[in-house]
Amino acid sequence: MTASMSFLLERLHAAGLTDVVAVEPASGGLAATAGLAHRGDGTQVFVKAFREPPSEDAFAAEAEGLTVLRETGGGATPEILLADRDVLVLSVLRPRPDTAAFWEQFAHVLAHLHTTTRHARFGWHRDNWLGRRRQVNTWEDDGFEFFAQHRLLRWLGEPRVQQALGPADRAALERLCDRLPELLPVRPACLTHGDLWSLNLMATPDGRPALIDPAVSYTWAEVDLAHLWTTSPPPEANGFFELYAELTGLDRDWRERMPILQLRQHLAVTAQFDPDWGAADLVRATLAPFRRRH
């Protein structure tokens, strides 16, 4: 067993799951160590842990997000078996089947989440986490103000973002934020997954779409859509976007808005990872029209 898997085994035993006999690596998350734990009775559970937790409540906030997506939004999520400071234990899901039928089913799931959970304000009752960085969810009445302050400008103080973006880039982001009411339509707040890249979509044991690793808040539905749109979904997902647009009444210009809305996630990736898989380059490309010409 590798050192990482031994670490997970120790965390599970310390949390009282002493019947776990082995842990094997699991693919997926980038911020925490994850594994598939084998129990003495032959069953399996999914486990993840931070060697240095970013906060006392990181896993509690994640468990809360999974619960609200299921109970309020009507989506499938893994069962929460244990969530404390040091470890999160969930029921096991299946890899998603990349078929057109599965993605069409998910279009209905996401449309239901976004159209049945509208809220008067933007934010959440607590901050939560994108990887190892805090997602600020301070309540705001105005969606443009919320997105500008807590989803875009919030990242400018991060050391990696300061290294990646020069003064002209930062000034361009501020100008973009000032112009958000011109660039984006007025939209209501709704419950969003908050970290909806394609690897955070899996399947239940009976094959239904299931969501993992949320960073929930009430904000624009298109923030979720943009994240999927720009994180390389498979070709079988093409019908998902058309069906989601039909089910939610999206206008024809929604694709043009995706780069602006996805700035938030590109900034979050830039802040946390080296290499950043081109995220900083994408930020600079989106900001290019907002740079002042000398």
Side-chain angles (χ1 to χ4, degrees), residues 103-139:
W103 281 95
E104 288 174 9
Q105 187 178 6
F106 182 54
H108 286 274
V109 170
L110 193 63
H112 178 82
L113 169 67
H114 289 161
T115 58
T116 63
T117 60
R118 290 186 177 177
H119 198 277
R121 304 184 73 196
F122 293 78
W124 190 244
H125 71 95
R126 70 196 292 178
D127 289 351
N128 43 34
W129 297 84
L130 277 173
R132 299 187 62 87
R133 293 297 186 275
R134 183 177 296 276
Q135 176 169 271
V136 179
N137 291 322
T138 305
W139 289 108

Side-chain angles (χ1 to χ4, degrees), residues 200-230:
N200 282 347
L201 175 61
M202 298 187 70
T204 62
D206 62 358
R208 292 175 294 126
L211 296 167
I212 62 169
D213 291 352
V216 299
S217 68
Y218 287 105
T219 187
W220 295 320
E222 287 181 46
V223 174
D224 275 349
L225 191 68
H227 204 163
L228 271 179
W229 178 255
T230 53

Side-chain angles (χ1 to χ4, degrees), residues 4-294:
S4 293
M5 296 304 100
S6 296
F7 159 71
L8 289 179
L9 185 62
E10 291 169 6
R11 284 289 170 89
L12 287 165
H13 286 177
L17 276 72
T18 55
D19 64 334
V20 174
V21 295
V23 185
E24 63 181 90
S27 61
L30 299 171
T33 302
L36 192 64
H38 299 265
R39 309 183 79 167
D41 62 2
T43 61
Q44 298 174 335
V45 293
F46 175 84
V47 56
K48 69 178 182 178
F50 294 105
R51 289 191 177 275
E52 296 181 6
S55 78
E56 296 287 329
D57 69 342
F59 285 143
E62 181 173 340
E64 179 189 55
L66 291 170
T67 300
V68 75
L69 287 171
R70 181 176 63 254
E71 295 183 354
T72 302
T77 63
E79 180 184 356
I80 301 155
L81 304 176
L82 175 65
D84 65 16
R85 176 186 180 275
D86 293 319
V87 67
L88 179 67
V89 183
L90 306 171
S91 62
V92 176
L93 297 174
R94 291 170 43 190
R96 68 166 189 266
D98 278 329
T99 64
F102 177 85
W103 281 95
E104 288 174 9
Q105 187 178 6
F106 182 54
H108 286 274
V109 170
L110 193 63
H112 178 82
L113 169 67
H114 289 161
T115 58
T116 63
T117 60
R118 290 186 177 177
H119 198 277
R121 304 184 73 196
F122 293 78
W124 190 244
H125 71 95
R126 70 196 292 178
D127 289 351
N128 43 34
W129 297 84
L130 277 173
R132 299 187 62 87
R133 293 297 186 275
R134 183 177 296 276
Q135 176 169 271
V136 179
N137 291 322
T138 305
W139 289 108
E140 302 284 355
D141 293 323
D142 183 271
F144 300 112
E145 180 72 9
F146 179 79
F147 191 70
Q149 295 299 326
H150 306 312
R151 294 297 180 264
L152 298 183
L153 298 176
R154 166 263 179 273
W155 296 102
L156 289 184
E158 294 284 344
R160 289 187 186 278
V161 174
Q162 291 178 337
Q163 294 171 10
L165 302 183
D169 299 315
R170 294 193 290 273
L173 181 63
E174 291 170 354
R175 281 192 286 275
L176 179 149
C177 287
D178 289 340
R179 292 184 55 193
L180 282 176
E182 306 167 32
L183 301 169
L184 302 174
V186 174
R187 289 284 193 264
C190 68
L191 182 63
T192 57
H193 176 282
D195 195 10
L196 194 57
W197 68 312
S198 55
L199 289 185
N200 282 347
L201 175 61
M202 298 187 70
T204 62
D206 62 358
R208 292 175 294 126
L211 296 167
I212 62 169
D213 291 352
V216 299
S217 68
Y218 287 105
T219 187
W220 295 320
E222 287 181 46
V223 174
D224 275 349
L225 191 68
H227 204 163
L228 271 179
W229 178 255
T230 53
T231 51
S232 301
E236 293 83 0
N238 290 341
F240 161 86
F241 294 100
E242 299 303 325
L243 180 55
Y244 175 90
E246 178 184 337
L247 292 169
T248 58
L250 272 183
D251 60 275
R252 294 181 178 179
D253 297 329
W254 67 266
R255 294 173 183 81
E256 283 68 43
R257 298 192 287 271
M258 296 294 98
I260 292 174
L261 291 162
Q262 186 57 357
L263 274 173
R264 170 262 197 169
Q265 191 63 22
H266 293 325
L267 287 164
V269 169
T270 302
Q272 298 188 66
F273 302 109
D274 184 18
D276 65 14
W277 303 287
D281 291 337
L282 291 168
V283 170
R284 286 188 286 267
T286 301
L287 294 178
F290 301 91
R291 290 193 185 89
R292 286 221 166 95
R293 303 293 187 262
H294 297 288

